């Protein structure tokens, strides 16, 4: 048990500096901070990429989110803004306080498994993080199944600091597959790591 506590110290915060702290720092230096609608958002600039399909998929996800909320269905998805600036460029809202499952697994290495990471990192609120994980997993599994979203590797799935997963990069939907070859037979991603949590 002591070694797991040490591992948490070694791991630090894999989600980076809390976004609220970053916003506060920027607000304190901004000449516009007194404006009531002041807000800070970060965007990723993408070029040589047609974001129209990504934008359409995000609009559909926003409809799913609205349906879940209106019907009080406890499924959680995280939508984000996409601004298309040309046929092959645009801006995608950065999702703060997240890490891809791929990057997290590289960070924790073979020292512990994903379930143990959850129990260590979310020790103070494990059941809430577990609930958030399950509700977001169920939501994205349903959406992935209905929209036939492919290319669901660990680099395209984020984990946030509350335990929710967030899918990104929707370049392959409605039967389209990377390279035109469909190697993914599963209708959604449900790995042993996910089941263990």
């Amino acid at each position: 048990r002591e070694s797991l506590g040490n591992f948490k110290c070694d791991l630090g915060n894999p989600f980076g500096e809390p976004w609220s702290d970053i916003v506060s720092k920027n607000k304190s230096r901004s000449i516009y901070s007194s404006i009531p609608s002041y807000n800070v958002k970060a965007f990723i600039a993408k070029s040589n990429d047609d974001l129209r399909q990504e934008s359409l998929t995000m609009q559909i996800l926003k409809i799913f989110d609205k349906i879940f909320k209106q019907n009080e269905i406890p499924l959680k998805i995280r939508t984000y803004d996409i601004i298309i600036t040309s046929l092959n460029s645009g801006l995608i809202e950065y999702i703060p306080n997240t890490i891809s499952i791929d990057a997290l697994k590289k960070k924790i290495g073979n020292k512990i498994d994903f379930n143990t990471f959850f129990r260590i990192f979310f020790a103070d609120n494990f059941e809430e993080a577990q609930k958030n994980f399950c509700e977001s997993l169920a939501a994205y599994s349903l959406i992935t199944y209905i929209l036939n979203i492919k290319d669901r590797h660990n680099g395209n799935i984020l984990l946030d600091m509350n335990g929710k997963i967030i899918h990104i990069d929707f370049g392959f939907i409605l039967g389209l597959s990377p390279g035109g070859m469909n190697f993914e037979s599963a209708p959604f991603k449900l790995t042993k790591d996910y089941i263990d949590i």
Side-chain angles (χ1 to χ4, degrees):
R1 193 152 177 86
E2 187 176 321
S3 63
L4 290 180
N6 292 339
F7 182 75
K8 184 174 182 179
C9 293
D10 293 343
L11 185 63
N13 183 359
F15 304 103
E17 184 178 4
W19 183 245
S20 57
D21 293 353
I22 294 169
V23 170
S24 294
K25 286 178 193 174
N26 281 299
K27 189 170 186 173
S28 68
R29 294 186 294 236
S30 175
I31 60 171
Y32 303 105
S33 61
S34 62
I35 298 172
S37 62
Y38 177 87
N39 195 3
V40 175
K41 272 193 177 183
F43 284 87
I44 299 167
K46 283 194 97 174
S47 62
N48 300 320
D49 199 358
D50 185 351
L51 295 176
R52 291 176 295 177
Q53 182 173 299
E54 187 94 14
S55 179
L56 173 65
T57 305
M58 190 51 55
Q59 290 172 37
I60 295 169
L61 262 65
K62 287 178 180 180
I63 293 169
F64 271 101
D65 189 44
K66 186 176 180 182
I67 290 168
F68 294 156
K69 287 176 179 168
Q70 284 178 343
N71 292 285
E72 299 178 12
I73 301 169
L75 298 180
K76 296 180 169 88
I77 58 174
R78 169 61 158 88
T79 60
Y80 49 89
D81 292 328
I82 299 172
I83 301 169
I84 298 170
T85 56
S86 76
L87 291 177
N88 63 354
S89 65
L91 301 170
I92 298 178
E93 181 184 354
Y94 170 75
I95 304 173
N97 303 129
T98 62
I99 186 171
S100 72
I101 302 290
D102 182 59
L104 178 62
K105 286 188 170 211
K106 286 177 183 170
K107 193 168 192 131
I108 62 177
N110 294 330
K111 298 172 192 160
I112 60 169
D113 61 24
F114 197 50
N115 183 35
T116 306
F117 164 79
F118 246 72
R119 293 180 181 280
I120 293 170
F121 190 82
F122 298 112
D124 296 336
N125 57 347
F126 172 74
E127 289 178 0
E128 183 181 341
Q130 184 183 44
K131 181 176 181 283
N132 288 338
F133 183 85
C134 291
E135 290 173 349
S136 59
L137 175 63
Y140 283 107
S141 296
L142 181 67
I143 291 165
T144 300
Y145 175 73
I146 291 171
L147 297 179
N148 198 10
I149 300 172
K150 300 298 180 189
D151 200 29
R152 298 297 85 203
H153 56 79
N154 286 337
N156 285 341
I157 302 173
L158 309 178
L159 179 70
D160 78 3
M161 62 190 319
N162 297 313
K164 293 189 288 286
I165 60 168
I166 302 163
H167 283 238
I168 60 169
D169 194 357
F170 301 103
F172 299 100
I173 65 166
L174 302 175
L176 296 174
S177 298
M181 302 182 78
N182 188 359
F183 293 110
E184 298 176 64
S185 58
F188 50 86
K189 186 161 185 164
L190 184 63
T191 64
K192 182 182 182 313
D193 284 336
Y194 293 0
I195 292 168
D196 289 345
I197 292 172

